[in-house]
Each structure stands twice: as structure tokens, then as C-alpha cells.
Amino acid sequence: LFSPAAVLFAAIVSLGLAAAFFSRFRSFLMSADRYRMMTLIMIVSGILAIAAPQLFMLIAKQSNWFASSGGVLLFVLKLGTLAVISVGPSWLAVGLIFPSVVAFAGEHCTPTQSGQRLGLLLAVNGLGGLLGAECAYRILLPVFGVYGAMTAIALAFTFAGLIVSIFREGSNSRLGNIVGASASVLLVFGIGKLNAQLPVVNPPPGVTPLDIQSGREGTVAVIEDPKGEKSILVSNQYVLGGTAVRYNQERQALLPLVLHKQPSNVACIGLATGITPGAALSVGSVKKVVAVEISPLVARAAETYFDDFNHQISSSDAADIVIGDGRTVIASMATGFDVVTGDLFLPWAPGTSRLYSREHFSAVRSTLNSGGVFCQWLPMYQLTRDQFQMIANTFAHVFEETHLFLNHFSISSPMLGLIGVKERGWLNWQQIENRCSQIRKSNDILDPVLRHASGIRLLYLGQWLDDQMDTPLVTLSDPSLEYSAATVRLSDDPFGRYFNPSKWIRFCRTRQRRYVNDPSSRAGTPGSDPTMQAKLMLLSTGLLELDYAKRTQHKLTSSIAARVQQNLPKCFIEDRLADMSRWPGQPVTDPSQLDSQE
């Protein structure tokens, strides 16, 4: 959120300094040969623009500025300073062009003519700003990439200098100016070739970029780790899922599909790799899947590199991929959906908090058919408790009955689903039993926890009650969630404030105790056996503890594994058609085998 502001501030300051410089030295600049001066400004602008990436990389390699953010103010200062040092010189040079043209145009003319010329120049400048931005986003970045686009811009400046030198008045020194401008064009082209060897993405060691594309949304890279697992990296900032966690991604769509009686029309807000919406195509009752993706580059990557994992959703007749903002697309849709899922949206990204707003949740609710289910997934590993409560309370404000579900039993990246429908009393465990029985007969879903009501119960964390409405709601007019999330991300210890492993386990334990001790938390769940549910919630916490113990090589691993093994429902072991490789967490093995391994 704060990065674009820092860079924009640096750009505006640089352009302002350029205007001040021209004002201070106007007499000198105006007294010189105006054509030669304009040629010089154009050439210097091009050379400095093409040299900016080299300077940026040199500073980045020599410094360790961003090893720790140190808070918002220090981060903005460091990033702004880096922008001023690396790109600032080119902005200063470019910033001299418009004041110079305005001054030259105003010479030797009446006030009326001067005003007319200034108005024309302002119009041309404004139109050029619009067309220049669109040209960069739609043509230069997609076709040439980041460094190629900067080369094209630098060449445009130097070519402009060459043209000015050709058409300058008089013949004195024209040949020398043309030769100098031509040499500058070649210099810019040569540095541009060197820039092409600079890295665009900065993946971890051993990770190989398979494809890199740039556009309006930034840089989208498909990367592959040493195990051959692929994922999508956006702007060097965050990963959009990947094949290594494909079953967790599939569960994002499959869980709400199991909770619905007979889903037919499905919408997924967020395509990413396509694995989540693609999983809906495997359910026999589903006739149509609509996936909304804001980034055309991400949609292209999903089609090109993840078709083998997403049921070829990009070419499926039963699926439509809509490129656009998920919030506005859903709000404009009249089609009724049985199930809508919201992908994991990181709240510190610019504009993302709108997808957690009351207005968006209300728009989703209006698209649901009677009995329709909406599941919004939350990245708990990048949320604080207060931020989570803001989102959950906003969701519960729209969906009067809201229930919490886990996605998996891994403590490294916990995911929580907020699930609700229009009608109260919708969570009926007897209905879920019948639905799971249908799924086992059709064998549409191989995930063991989704084939049995006991598995759904393992993922259940109870109801989010109205009496927890003690935080402000997320709205389109209040960006406080976005600023809070971005501020925490730039703090000295964001991991300590998020739902880290210990906090996540404590949260789940609290949910378990609340369910057992508070009868109101069990409201609206017909067919639920409180004793059975409490036992399964305890087992669910044990599965999280088992994952934590194994990751930390804790000596209690065997005892936790034994407790989990003893309480695990037999239906998972006896289900021969289930694919246990899809088990959402650490595999539950025989304790004696685990002892011998230790």
C-alpha cells in the first residue's frame, strides 16, 4: 500500500525540483541556442532513464536497506530515497522539457497568443500523459518487459533529440549535433542490451522462473522449485498458491460445495492458478463455474502452466473466466449462484480490503439463490486478531448466521473460512451426512475429510456469534483495515502479531471451549451431537498440535500421534476409495512406526 505512494512522492518532488531549477536558471537556458538546449535535455533524459535500472541494482546490491522495514515512516523514506537516487536524475532531466517548451512558445507573442499556446501545450501534455500511461501498460510492458519498456522510453527521448537537431534553424554545427545525437541513440541502445540481463524477479535460492510477464498489475512470474512444484509470484510480493498445496486450494471450493444440498451454479472470486475454481468442475451436479480474475497475466499463467492441475478450466465449456475486479463484477451480475467462494486476499495489498467490505458481502448475498452458500477464506497467517475480528464481524453483519471452518491442519499457513447463507438455521448435520453419502456413491470427491460428515466436523470451529460485534465494520468508505494491515506488515515483528502457530492453536482451543461451554454457539445446527462435535474439535486441535510437534521436532510427537490415532474415526481408514494423500495436514501414522523413526 505504501510503496506506490513513496515512489509517486519521489517523482513529484523530482519534477518540482526540475521546474524550480528551470525558474532559477531561466535566463541562461533561454539565452542559449534553444534547439541545441532542447537536444541536450532530450539526450540527457534518455541516457539517465536507461541508466536508472543499472543504478538501482548497484544500490540494491551494495546496501541492505530493506533487511528490516523499521516501520512505515522509515520504509517510505528508504524507498523514496532509493527512487530519488536511481530514477530521480532522469525525472529531473525530463522535468525540464515542459517548462522549456512553455517558455519557448511564449516568446515574441501577444498575451492572447501566449494564452492560446499555453492552453494548447497543456492539452497536449495532458493527453500525452493519458496515452503514455496506456501505451506503457498495454503495449510496452506486455511486449518488451520492464527493462525493454524503459529502453523504448529512453530511445524515444534520444530520437526526439535527434529529430530536433535535424530540424534546428541554421546550418552551423547541425552535422555535429546530428552525429552527437546519433551516438547517444546507440549508447542508449547498448545500455538497454545490458539492462536485459538484469533480473526482474527475486525468487528464493533454487527456485527457477519459468515465465515472466509484466503489465498494469505489475510483474507476474511462474516459478518452479527443485521438486518441480509450480506457483505464481506477483510483483515479488506474494505467491498465488501453487501445485504443492493444490489439495488445500481445491478444498477452498469443495468444502462449500459439500455444505450445499445440490450445487449447480458456482462463482469463484479469484482465479490464481485455477486450481480452486477448477475443482468445482469435478463435482457432478455443477453445471457452470464462473471465475473472476483481476489480472489477465495471472489468467494467462493459469492456462499455460496449470492446465494439468486445474481441470483445464480455461478451455472448459462449463466454465467462464471473467477478467475484472471481483467486487464490481459480482455486484453487476444478475445470475443466481448456489455457491460463491472468495479466495485468500492479503489485506495489505492496495484495494484488497474492499473485498472484505460490508458492501461487497451484501452484493455477494444478493447473487445467492435460496439456500446458497458463501465462503470467504481468510489468510490467518497474515491477519492480526483485531483485523480478523473486523472482517468476521462485517461478514456476520451481512450473514446473520456465520460459521467458521478450517481448511487444513497445518500451522504454518492457517486458513479459515467464514461461511454463511441467507437463511438462518442452514447448517444441518443430518443434511451433511446425506450429502457425504451421495459423494461417496458418485466418488466425485476423493478428499477423505470431505467424504464423511466426521471429516466436516473436524474442520468445524463453531458459530461466530453476534455478541462479538465489538469492532468497527469494514466499509468502502473506511480504508482503516488496509492501512492497519500495511502498517503491521512493515512493523519490526509482524509474524508475532499475526496468527502464528502458537496463537493459532490457542485460537482453535478457545473455539473448542466456547462450543462446549456455551449452548448458544451450537444454535442453528440441527442434528448435531454436542458431545461428538466437542470430541472431534478436540481431535482437530490435536492434529494441529501434531503438525506443530513434528515441525519443531518436539519429543511429544509420539504421544500426540498416539492420542490422535486412537480418536480418529474409523470411517477414514475404512474408506478404500478415499485418496489419503489429500489428507489436510501431517499424515496420521501408527505410533509404533513413528517411534522407530525417532
Side-chain angles (χ1 to χ4, degrees):
L1 176 66
F2 296 109
S3 301
V7 176
L8 180 61
F9 177 77
I12 293 175
V13 167
S14 299
L15 294 175
L17 289 175
F21 179 86
F22 180 85
S23 177
R24 178 67 179 81
F25 297 99
R26 183 178 184 276
S27 58
F28 167 74
L29 295 172
M30 293 293 293
S31 63
D33 184 333
R34 68 184 62 182
Y35 288 96
R36 179 178 295 176
M37 184 60 65
M38 186 57 66
T39 298
L40 180 62
I41 292 174
M42 291 286 191
I43 290 174
V44 170
S45 297
I47 293 175
L48 291 177
I50 199 63
Q54 293 287 341
L55 188 57
F56 177 90
M57 283 297 176
L58 178 64
I59 297 171
K61 290 178 180 178
Q62 297 296 326
S63 66
N64 200 24
W65 281 6
F66 298 96
S68 60
S69 52
V72 173
L73 180 59
L74 187 57
F75 172 81
V76 170
L77 287 174
K78 289 190 293 188
L79 184 59
T81 302
L82 179 59
V84 167
I85 295 174
S86 58
V87 194
S90 63
W91 284 331
L92 285 169
V94 169
L96 294 173
I97 296 175
F98 188 70
S100 300
V101 173
V102 171
F104 295 157
E107 281 188 320
H108 312 302
C109 61
T110 66
T112 300
Q113 291 174 326
S114 178
Q116 292 173 340
R117 292 179 182 181
L118 177 60
L120 178 62
L121 288 174
L122 288 173
V124 171
N125 189 58
L127 182 62
L130 173 64
L131 295 179
E134 290 303 310
C135 179
Y137 284 135
R138 296 178 183 274
I139 301 174
L140 297 183
L141 281 171
V143 174
F144 301 110
V146 174
Y147 301 126
M150 296 190 74
T151 301
I153 293 170
L155 285 173
F157 280 118
T158 49
F159 269 118
L162 176 61
I163 292 173
V164 170
S165 66
I166 291 175
F167 291 98
R168 68 182 294 263
E169 295 176 351
S171 58
N172 294 334
S173 304
R174 177 186 294 181
L175 180 60
N177 289 339
I178 293 175
V179 171
S182 301
S184 300
V185 170
L186 295 176
L187 176 63
V188 167
F189 186 79
I191 299 176
K193 296 290 286 185
L194 291 176
N195 287 349
Q197 301 174 15
L198 295 174
V200 178
V201 297
N202 186 29
V207 174
T208 304
L210 300 179
D211 185 35
I212 301 173
Q213 298 292 325
S214 298
R216 187 184 301 272
E217 60 271 52
T219 298
V220 175
V222 179
I223 56 178
E224 184 177 54
D225 67 14
K227 296 181 180 179
E229 303 288 359
K230 295 193 287 287
S231 55
I232 298 177
L233 177 66
V234 177
S235 295
N236 277 316
Q237 288 285 317
Y238 50 92
V239 176
L240 299 181
T243 57
V245 290
R246 61 178 296 194
Y247 300 132
N248 292 344
Q249 291 180 260
E250 289 185 346
R251 202 172 297 110
Q252 289 179 236
L254 295 179
L255 174 61
L257 288 174
V258 173
L259 295 176
H260 191 277
K261 291 181 182 179
Q262 195 74 4
S264 178
N265 293 333
V266 179
C268 294
I269 305 173
L271 174 70
T273 60
I275 293 174
T276 296
L281 296 173
S282 65
V283 178
S285 64
V286 173
K287 305 303 180 186
K288 193 68 175 179
V289 176
V290 176
V292 185
E293 174 56 53
I294 195 170
S295 168
L297 296 183
V298 169
R300 173 189 172 277
E303 178 180 9
T304 307
Y305 292 93
F306 296 90
D307 252 11
D308 294 340
F309 304 94
N310 60 24
H311 296 269
Q312 298 182 327
I313 187 173
S314 301
S315 57
S316 173
D317 293 335
D320 289 333
I321 296 178
V322 180
I323 303 299
D325 187 323
R327 183 181 66 84
T328 56
V329 169
I330 289 294
S332 66
M333 280 187 169
T335 305
F337 295 106
D338 300 311
V339 172
V340 177
T341 66
D343 206 346
L344 297 168
F345 304 119
L346 300 175
W348 45 261
T352 299
S353 66
R354 301 170 189 169
L355 294 169
Y356 293 131
S357 67
R358 178 183 59 193
E359 294 86 347
H360 173 61
F361 290 155
S362 298
V364 172
R365 179 175 177 173
S366 67
T367 66
L368 290 175
N369 295 324
S370 178
V373 176
F374 175 42
C375 178
Q376 176 61 63
W377 291 101
L378 304 180
M380 302 299 282
Y381 51 92
Q382 294 212 337
L383 286 173
T384 66
R385 186 177 187 85
D386 290 343
Q387 293 161 7
F388 161 71
Q389 287 185 339
M390 282 184 67
I391 298 172
N393 290 343
T394 304
F395 190 95
H397 183 81
V398 177
F399 295 89
E400 296 179 0
E401 187 177 317
T402 297
H403 295 266
L404 309 182
F405 283 84
L406 298 171
N407 179 278
H408 53 69
F409 306 118
S410 172
I411 48 85
S412 61
S413 54
M415 297 163 54
L416 186 71
L418 303 174
I419 297 185
V421 295
K422 293 182 180 179
E423 299 84 0
R424 294 185 67 88
W426 65 273
L427 185 62
N428 187 314
W429 289 107
Q430 185 57 55
Q431 175 185 306
I432 294 174
E433 289 269 9
N434 298 336
R435 180 84 173 105
C436 290
S437 178
Q438 295 174 1
I439 288 171
R440 291 194 299 274
K441 288 179 182 178
S442 63
N443 212 35
D444 289 340
I445 297 175
L446 301 179
D447 191 324
V449 295
L450 300 181
R451 292 168 61 88
H452 302 274
S454 296
I456 306 297
R457 289 174 183 270
L458 279 176
L459 300 175
Y460 184 55
L461 284 183
Q463 184 176 353
W464 188 257
L465 300 177
D466 294 341
D467 60 4
Q468 294 167 313
M469 306 282 280
D470 56 355
T471 58
L473 302 182
V474 184
T475 64
L476 293 179
S477 60
D478 182 5
S480 57
L481 172 64
E482 198 166 298
Y483 281 96
S484 169
T487 301
V488 171
R489 178 168 168 79
L490 294 176
S491 65
D492 291 331
D493 183 26
F495 181 75
R497 301 178 63 181
Y498 295 147
F499 280 90
N500 54 42
S502 58
K503 284 187 176 182
W504 179 237
I505 292 174
R506 285 199 300 271
F507 173 82
C508 293
R509 284 175 179 164
T510 301
R511 299 302 309 171
Q512 171 203 342
R513 287 195 297 268
R514 186 179 181 90
Y515 185 89
V516 172
N517 299 326
D518 186 357
S520 64
S521 67
R522 302 192 291 273
T525 55
S528 175
D529 181 345
T531 303
M532 177 190 297
Q533 183 59 55
K535 179 180 177 181
L536 288 170
M537 291 176 93
L538 180 64
L539 175 59
S540 176
T541 306
L543 288 165
L544 292 170
E545 293 171 341
L546 175 62
D547 185 75
Y548 181 78
K550 284 190 174 182
R551 290 178 185 272
T552 58
Q553 298 182 340
H554 203 283
K555 292 182 179 180
L556 294 178
T557 304
S558 296
S559 60
I560 297 174
R563 173 162 57 89
V564 169
Q565 190 78 29
Q566 292 167 4
N567 291 281
L568 195 68
K570 292 182 180 180
C571 60
F572 299 124
I573 302 173
E574 295 172 351
D575 188 352
R576 303 301 179 189
L577 295 179
D579 182 0
M580 292 304 293
S581 67
R582 301 173 185 237
W583 180 260
Q586 289 285 350
V588 182
T589 58
D590 184 80
S592 61
Q593 295 178 353
L594 206 146
D595 284 335
S596 63
Q597 292 173 6
E598 290 185 341

